[in-house]
Amino acid sequence: MLMSSMCNKNMGSIKIVGLMMVLFSLVCSSVVNATVSYDDKAFIINGKRRILISGSIHYPRSTPEMWPDLIQKAKDGGLDVIQTYVFWNVHEPSPGKYDFGGRYDLVKFIKLVQQAGLYVHLRIGPYICAEWNFGGFPVWLKYVPGIELRTDNEPFKVKMQGFVEKIVSMMKSEKLFEPQGGPIIMSQIENEYGPVEWEIGAPGTAYAKWAASMAVGLKTDVPWIMCKQEHPPDQVIDTCNGFYCENFQPKNPSNPKMFTELWTGWFTQFGGPVPRRPAEDIAFSVARFVQNNGSFFNYYMYHGGTNFGRTGSGLFVTTSYDYDAPIDEYGLLNEPKYSHLTNLHKAINLCEPALVSSYPTVTWPGKNQEIHVFRSTSGACAAFLSNFDPQFSTKVFFENMEYDLPPWSISILPDCKKVVYNTATVSTKSSDPKFIPVENGLSWESYIETTPSSSDNDTFTKDGLLDQVSMTMDTSDYLWYMTEINIAPEEGFLKTGQDPLLTVMSAGHALNVFINGKLSGTSYGGLENTKLTFEGKVKLTAGINKISLCSATVGLPNIGTHFEKQSAGVLGPVTLTGLNEGTRDLTKESWGYKVGLKGESMNLGTTAASSSVEWGGGSSLAQKQPFTWYKTNFNAPDGNDPLALDMSSMGKGQIWINGQSIGRHWPGYIAKGNCGECSYAGTYDEKKCLNYCGQPSQTWYHVPRSWLKPSGNLLVVFEEWGGDPSGIKLVRRTV
Ligand SMILES: *[C@@H]1O[C@H](CO)[C@@H](O)[C@H](O)[C@H]1NC(C)=O
Ligand SMILES: *[C@@H]1O[C@H](CO)[C@@H](O)[C@H](O)[C@H]1NC(C)=O
């Protein structure tokens, strides 16, 4: 231990000459500099092969005030490495304008990890997927002339290289790569590109090669990996993502076997149930991977956190990104998962000397039984005894001893004799998460959002229907499409009362239809397909009638080949049937456009602007009105328990606290699915182990403590559907 610590990081910066050099060489044998390399077995850090245990914590999904505690809990949980993506779209919101402050302070986050004595795996991407808005790409990128994303396209490669260079040079100037004395031991370029390459062929292969050599050319002196990359370019390590990865083999047999995303659960979508993954099965997946030569595994996620603001992506991803991770969204321990995995890490650490210095000998003593033994020349021995039967326990004989194995489990014997851990034997009590109301009866005031009309001076007119994002540039979820139709007094429906039928086809994701300023109906897309069709009878009068369609996106897509080409908004056809003439097609009419809500342009979520409009309180409080802003003030509750808002009385919209956006709320979207018994035994299927069927997909919304002042906090809610704010409760999260 002493020797290895003497050969540690700081030495990279020491210029060693002459006698010193000889002296150090003697003490540290062959290792002189801080280095990171690898062989087929494992990563080698400062001359030492390591089994590396890693977990994903994404810095923008929590607050800087939460980071030290999350990192400490990760360390206490036995992690060696924190893995994070780099989120291009928050760092470069407009070309050349950078933001690395607050939740986006990447350098601060990495330095906190370093202070805790852990390493960093930096996944620069810059395509990151991650259920993050637009997969991490800034929306402006899509509008660079001639650009095509994630392929052999010059304008794209220029922008991508620019950002990757920016991040690498930041890391270098802060001395954050391991050979410089920093914590970063590996980086990632691109992300899950294999499936795209498979689909697009030659240009994809050329692009992947370019990406790898561009990255390697930046000379970070730490290895680069590419995950889910079936044809890895030579200079990078191909790695596996999944629920299980024991059968994965790197294409190059001299690369180590790495598991970059071991899914600890799954994300939740509005309209879908909440997935869970049992701790026993995660531990089983880890043990299977390690007993098959695996030497790096990363929990995706270790702390999932929150999609604050409008950062959740367009698969209706919820504001909560809890992911059923070992540390929950609120930073509390998710038990028994956290402790069960912590105990697993202790067992693996005991096995490390044998694991890094030998290959396993595998035997099959009986049906569904498997024994892996690692025996090093220096005498270390570790054994893994497996039972792959999902139903029945079994007895395994190993070196004249008998061992009982529960179904679907692996026992770990760090000395080849004594079982210190079994993946299916959980010794920690489950946590009992609760939300306890601390504030009821908040006193609300309301402001009704005005329906714009195409004659307003802040609208513009175009012929036909246009893609939503090309209009909003994603500065808002909302885009108004407005047109006026003239109804002749001799129209038959005016006399018969048979109202005409309005049909609106939209590429998604949600739609509110206003006729002459009154809400006439609402429609929204489904989980698999975000396209929607609104069909409803509409009340029209003789003369001019205003049709105003408010289309809302719920995040931009983040996945799929050329996901950036998917459209959103009302693209038509839009038709009116039941007129004297039969059907009138409004698709090619002249349409007025207005980006965003009036309340958004006045920044009603912020303290200053909220006093600039007439708010109605008391008897003039809006009652269950659609398209209404609500505000109230509250004091911070005592103590340190994490806080949330129970939004179960509301429909759909957005929430701000003291001007900071908590995210989108949509408790009105009820989870469809089959919830039922969740057994740990048997291959995990994310379509099972579901919770909250028939209930809102997300009821509670995290309010970070650090966003509150002791008193007079401003809470603003924009509500689309006409929910009842008197039901909103501030709650404390406890486990
Ligand atoms: C472990 O790696 C060695 C060397 O590549 C290989 O021969 C062996 O089959 C691997 N064992 C398992 C269980 O994957
Ligand atoms: C637009 O109209 C509003 C009121 O209807 C007015 O206050 C504002 O000054 C006008 N803006 C422009 C640019 O004409």
Side-chain angles (χ1 to χ4, degrees):
M1 284 314 278
L2 182 67
M3 293 252 291
S4 72
S5 67
M6 283 185 70
C7 299
N8 234 316
K9 306 184 184 165
N10 347 350
M11 297 205 43
S13 51
I14 300 172
K15 297 267 179 292
I16 309 154
V17 284
L19 192 64
M20 283 288 281
M21 178 87 164
V22 174
L23 195 66
F24 271 90
S25 314
L26 282 175
V27 178
C28 304
S29 69
S30 62
V31 189
V32 192
N33 285 309
T35 57
V36 183
S37 62
Y38 57 86
D39 61 14
D40 69 316
K41 199 64 216 157
F43 258 59
I44 302 169
I45 303 177
N46 301 326
K48 217 177 147 207
R49 278 209 200 101
R50 291 295 315 275
I51 302 293
L52 292 169
I53 304 173
S54 176
S56 290
I57 300 177
H58 293 158
Y59 53 97
R61 284 178 156 143
S62 53
T63 60
E65 291 77 9
M66 291 170 72
W67 293 343
D69 182 57
L70 295 174
I71 293 165
Q72 187 59 44
K73 283 174 171 149
K75 185 179 184 174
D76 296 344
L79 299 200
D80 305 301
V81 184
I82 303 289
Q83 185 198 71
T84 182
Y85 282 124
V86 178
F87 296 75
W88 187 0
N89 54 9
V90 303
H91 292 311
E92 197 177 355
S94 55
K97 295 236 159 48
Y98 293 100
D99 183 357
F100 289 94
R103 280 199 330 274
Y104 309 147
D105 195 340
L106 173 61
V107 167
K108 179 175 180 172
F109 180 76
I110 294 176
K111 287 187 172 170
L112 285 169
V113 175
Q114 180 176 26
Q115 279 163 29
L118 301 182
Y119 295 121
V120 170
H121 176 200
L122 194 66
R123 305 172 91 188
I124 300 178
Y127 167 70
I128 59 170
C129 195
E131 291 72 65
W132 190 256
N133 197 43
F134 215 39
F137 284 142
V139 172
W140 55 258
L141 195 66
K142 176 176 166 176
Y143 299 98
V144 169
I147 205 161
E148 248 195 290
L149 309 187
R150 301 182 78 203
T151 186
D152 192 16
N153 167 278
E154 215 41 48
F156 174 66
K157 291 193 294 189
V158 167
K159 292 293 176 197
M160 170 166 162
Q161 180 163 356
F163 182 71
V164 174
E165 278 176 353
K166 166 101 191 162
I167 296 299
V168 166
S169 68
M170 250 178 112
M171 298 300 111
K172 277 189 186 173
S173 66
E174 298 284 343
K175 303 215 183 315
L176 294 176
F177 288 107
E178 208 273 352
Q180 300 177 289
I184 304 172
I185 54 168
M186 61 183 95
S187 303
Q188 179 182 302
I189 193 74
E190 249 294 340
N191 186 55
E192 299 193 340
Y193 191 67
V196 178
E197 186 177 338
W198 183 83
E199 210 172 311
I200 70 174
T205 305
Y207 162 68
K209 265 197 155 145
W210 167 83
S213 56
M214 182 271 286
V216 170
L218 298 177
K219 303 208 181 312
T220 59
D221 293 334
V222 300
W224 288 87
I225 64 133
M226 286 178 96
C227 64
K228 239 178 162 177
Q229 180 70 36
E230 283 76 14
H231 305 285
D234 285 343
Q235 317 99 306
V236 298
I237 306 171
D238 53 324
T239 68
C240 186
N241 295 352
F243 290 108
Y244 309 96
C245 275
E246 64 277 358
N247 294 325
F248 167 80
Q249 291 301 336
K251 284 288 171 307
N252 182 343
S254 49
N255 286 350
K257 176 165 164 172
M258 299 171 68
F259 197 165
T260 34
E261 288 189 15
L262 191 170
W263 302 323
T264 51
W266 199 246
F267 58 89
T268 305
Q269 296 165 277
F270 288 117
V274 179
R276 294 270 177 255
R277 186 175 185 197
E280 296 92 325
D281 186 56
I282 299 171
F284 187 61
S285 172
V286 167
R288 278 168 83 171
F289 183 70
V290 171
Q291 71 179 0
N292 283 297
N293 287 327
S295 60
F296 171 97
F297 58 92
N298 174 77
Y299 298 107
Y300 188 99
M301 302 292 298
Y302 198 73
H303 169 256
T306 310
N307 292 317
F308 295 113
R310 301 188 304 107
T311 58
S313 76
L315 290 160
F316 293 150
V317 171
T318 52
T319 295
S320 169
Y321 196 66
D322 181 82
Y323 223 90
D324 198 21
I327 304 176
D328 77 11
E329 177 179 7
Y330 297 89
L332 303 175
L333 302 185
N334 177 11
E335 296 290 17
K337 193 171 277 188
Y338 176 87
S339 292
H340 190 53
L341 297 177
T342 304
N343 294 337
L344 169 67
H345 305 154
K346 287 178 185 155
I348 291 174
N349 286 341
L350 292 172
C351 298
E352 192 178 22
L355 294 175
V356 297
S357 51
S358 60
Y359 299 111
T361 307
V362 187
T363 53
W364 295 270
K367 191 163 172 262
N368 288 322
Q369 296 181 351
E370 205 168 273
I371 297 179
H372 293 236
V373 182
F374 295 80
R375 215 183 286 274
S376 74
T377 47
S378 61
C381 184
F384 290 66
L385 314 182
S386 312
N387 176 12
F388 286 99
D389 194 306
Q391 261 187 310
F392 299 107
S393 53
T394 193
K395 286 184 198 308
V396 175
F397 291 90
F398 171 60
E399 305 211 326
N400 303 322
M401 296 273 286
E402 189 185 88
Y403 298 89
D404 283 321
L405 293 178
W408 201 250
S409 80
I410 296 177
S411 284
I412 300 179
L413 294 65
D415 59 356
C416 284
K417 289 192 182 76
K418 191 170 176 300
V419 174
V420 301
Y421 186 85
N422 174 271
T423 59
T425 310
V426 174
S427 57
T428 313
K429 257 186 34 205
S430 295
S431 39
D432 179 19
K434 284 198 180 79
F435 292 98
I436 301 164
V438 287
E439 190 98 45
N440 266 320
L442 296 162
S443 166
W444 292 93
E445 291 177 276
S446 60
Y447 166 76
I448 298 175
E449 172 74 22
T450 43
T451 318
S453 93
S454 44
S455 48
D456 291 355
N457 61 9
D458 57 351
T459 65
F460 49 95
T461 305
K462 303 260 182 190
D463 286 335
L465 293 162
L466 300 168
D467 172 68
Q468 178 157 348
V469 180
S470 69
M471 296 285 108
T472 63
M473 296 300 279
D474 201 34
T475 53
S476 167
D477 276 4
Y478 304 100
L479 178 67
W480 291 92
Y481 294 77
M482 298 161 287
T483 195
E484 296 184 349
I485 49 166
N486 199 353
I487 296 295
E490 57 272 16
E491 278 289 352
F493 75 85
L494 292 172
K495 296 175 191 74
T496 61
Q498 297 286 311
D499 292 333
L501 183 76
L502 178 70
T503 305
V504 181
M505 308 267 272
S506 164
H509 307 145
L511 182 71
N512 294 283
V513 175
F514 291 81
I515 304 295
N516 296 323
K518 273 197 70 181
L519 185 66
S520 178
T522 290
S523 189
Y524 48 97
L527 294 194
E528 305 297 330
N529 184 354
T530 55
K531 288 193 172 68
L532 63 97
T533 302
F534 170 86
E535 257 188 330
K537 299 261 182 168
V538 289
K539 284 261 174 262
L540 300 176
T541 56
I544 298 290
N545 291 266
K546 293 179 175 180
I547 299 181
S548 308
L549 309 173
C550 186
S551 175
T553 46
V554 186
L556 304 187
N558 64 301
I559 192 164
T561 302
H562 288 306
F563 64 84
E564 78 278 7
K565 291 183 180 167
Q566 291 176 32
S567 326
V570 179
L571 298 178
V574 177
T575 57
L576 204 52
T577 53
L579 305 177
N580 288 352
E581 70 204 73
T583 298
R584 195 184 296 181
D585 189 351
L586 306 177
T587 312
K588 300 219 163 60
E589 294 293 310
S590 162
W591 287 85
Y593 289 86
K594 179 176 156 50
V595 173
L597 305 172
K598 185 152 184 256
E600 284 181 303
S601 61
M602 294 188 297
N603 283 317
L604 284 193
T606 68
T607 317
S610 70
S611 51
S612 67
V613 299
E614 282 282 328
W615 293 84
S619 59
S620 52
L621 178 72
Q623 297 294 326
K624 300 190 180 175
Q625 275 274 344
F627 273 59
T628 300
W629 295 80
Y630 294 98
K631 72 164 182 172
T632 190
N633 283 283
F634 67 93
N635 298 336
D638 295 337
N640 293 318
D641 289 337
L643 302 172
L645 288 169
D646 177 340
M647 298 294 287
S648 49
S649 68
M650 303 304 275
K652 179 180 186 294
Q654 289 176 43
I655 313 165
W656 293 261
I657 298 259
N658 294 332
Q660 302 231 52
S661 172
I662 295 246
R664 302 183 179 101
H665 69 270
W666 200 354
Y669 212 151
I670 301 300
K672 291 185 206 76
N674 295 314
C675 293
E677 279 297 294
C678 177
S679 158
Y680 74 84
T683 302
Y684 179 74
D685 173 357
E686 77 270 27
K687 301 248 158 31
K688 294 183 182 152
C689 285
L690 303 173
N691 290 262
Y692 293 106
C693 296
Q695 294 173 57
S697 301
Q698 186 179 352
T699 298
W700 299 279
Y701 296 78
H702 183 200
V703 176
R705 274 271 177 189
S706 61
W707 292 6
L708 298 184
K709 307 174 284 188
S711 62
N713 296 289
L714 175 71
L715 165 59
V716 176
V717 176
F718 175 67
E719 168 65 18
E720 290 173 40
W721 284 10
D724 178 6
S726 69
I728 297 176
K729 295 188 262 300
L730 184 67
V731 297
R732 280 188 297 126
R733 165 79 167 188
T734 62
V735 290

